[in-house]
Amino acid sequence: YVCVVQKAYQETDSVISTVTTKVKGFAFTNTSDMDPQFWDVADYVIPPQGDNSFFVITNMVVTPRQTQSRCPELPNPSTICVDDCDCIKGHSDPRGNGIQTGLCENYSTTVRTCEVLSWCPLEIDTKLPEPALLAAAENFSVLIKNSITYPKFNFHRRNILPHINSSYLKRCEFNRTTDPDCPIFRLKHIVSEAGEEFEDMAVKGGILGIIIDWSCDLDWWAGKCYPKYSFRRLDNKNPVNNVAPGYNFR
């Protein structure tokens, strides 16, 4: 019983895997902060290839007509000043936006802050566009190519299965019920499978994990070894502990 039914005779091996991705899609934006722009993959996928990952821009803060010049720093306890004596020429705060000039200038009619050498006007990243600037990214698609091997058994497989041909790839889209073998995924459906809403997640960003499970019983015909996909959100979206939410960079 133990040897046959519970397969105590079997050996196991760890999988070696490699993943490449190709994102496709187009978008058009026309806002008061920037000129009309057509977006393609070269604009919204940064970098073009990641390490078993891909990144898609869904939102951005645009500060138009920035130039390298002098301007009052954004108000906070360390930048608010009364006169020039409160500002240190050459001082650079890593949490700030530039290098202080030593002058105390009017930020508004009621607040004065230390002037800095920086890209002016300064970016205010607390005012995010809602809905997200690239909300159309929900209809972008990603082709995921995954190759695996079990070296102990000299077993090789990829998620583009033997019955998949070029014409099928041009028309298929992953659907857990009707098309579970298709390696092309719509971003909106990836987010939905992870239990999230794309339009909400797109505003501040987030990190999603795409798990490809190759748990195979090689006692059976190798053709029965198929990948199984699952999706989950990896970053914390706790409504109480919500400091630095989402995923973003400059």
Side-chain angles (χ1 to χ4, degrees):
Y1 172 82
V2 172
C3 186
V4 177
V5 177
Q6 295 189 334
K7 300 188 176 183
Y9 63 87
Q10 282 189 329
E11 288 188 279
T12 60
D13 194 13
S14 297
V15 69
I16 297 175
S17 173
T18 181
V19 175
T20 60
T21 60
K22 182 186 292 183
V23 181
K24 288 186 176 181
F26 305 99
F28 178 78
T29 57
N30 188 6
T31 69
S32 58
D33 291 333
M34 59 190 298
D35 294 331
Q37 181 170 343
F38 168 78
W39 299 73
D40 67 9
V41 66
D43 301 307
Y44 58 74
V45 176
I46 304 172
Q49 281 291 337
D51 182 13
N52 291 338
S53 65
F54 64 95
F55 173 84
V56 176
I57 293 175
T58 58
N59 208 5
M60 63 189 300
V61 175
V62 179
T63 308
R65 296 176 293 279
Q66 276 188 318
T67 59
Q68 287 193 12
S69 55
R70 300 170 177 234
C71 50
E73 178 62 280
L74 300 178
N76 66 57
S78 66
T79 63
I80 293 175
C81 58
V82 176
D83 54 39
D84 295 347
C85 295
D86 297 323
C87 304
I88 304 171
K89 184 176 182 180
H91 175 68
S92 176
D93 183 353
R95 295 181 178 86
N97 291 283
I99 300 173
Q100 291 187 13
T101 64
L103 301 178
C104 182
E105 299 290 346
N106 292 327
Y107 178 82
S108 66
T109 57
T110 58
V111 177
R112 305 188 79 198
T113 62
C114 294
E115 182 184 70
V116 291
L117 289 167
S118 184
W119 286 97
C120 301
L122 299 177
E123 175 187 272
I124 302 177
D125 61 3
T126 55
K127 299 178 181 178
L128 298 176
E130 292 191 49
L133 184 68
L134 282 174
E138 67 179 10
N139 290 315
F140 296 172
S141 66
V142 56
L143 166 63
I144 299 177
K145 293 190 285 186
N146 176 215
S147 297
I148 63 106
T149 181
Y150 287 100
K152 182 185 292 187
F153 308 114
N154 194 29
F155 179 81
H156 307 274
R157 199 75 167 164
R158 64 178 188 152
N159 67 326
I160 300 179
L161 301 175
H163 68 273
I164 294 177
N165 55 35
S166 298
S167 60
Y168 173 79
L169 278 182
K170 290 179 181 177
R171 59 179 172 78
C172 80
E173 181 180 302
F174 176 84
N175 182 290
R176 190 171 298 283
T177 303
T178 62
D179 220 344
D181 296 338
C182 181
I184 298 175
F185 305 82
R186 192 176 295 270
L187 299 193
K188 181 178 181 178
H189 295 162
I190 291 176
V191 175
S192 177
E193 284 267 353
E196 304 291 335
E197 294 291 335
F198 188 94
E199 55 267 30
D200 296 334
M201 191 172 178
V203 175
K204 294 183 178 180
I207 303 172
L208 290 171
I210 301 173
I211 298 93
I212 307 176
D213 181 14
W214 287 94
S215 298
C216 298
D217 184 351
L218 299 184
D219 276 0
W220 300 95
W221 177 48
K224 292 292 185 180
C225 181
Y226 300 126
K228 299 178 180 64
Y229 301 98
S230 58
F231 312 85
R232 66 184 63 175
R233 185 167 184 173
L234 303 179
D235 63 306
N236 180 23
K237 64 163 193 173
N238 188 315
V240 177
N241 181 18
N242 62 352
V243 177
Y247 176 74
N248 61 82
F249 66 91
R250 275 194 172 94

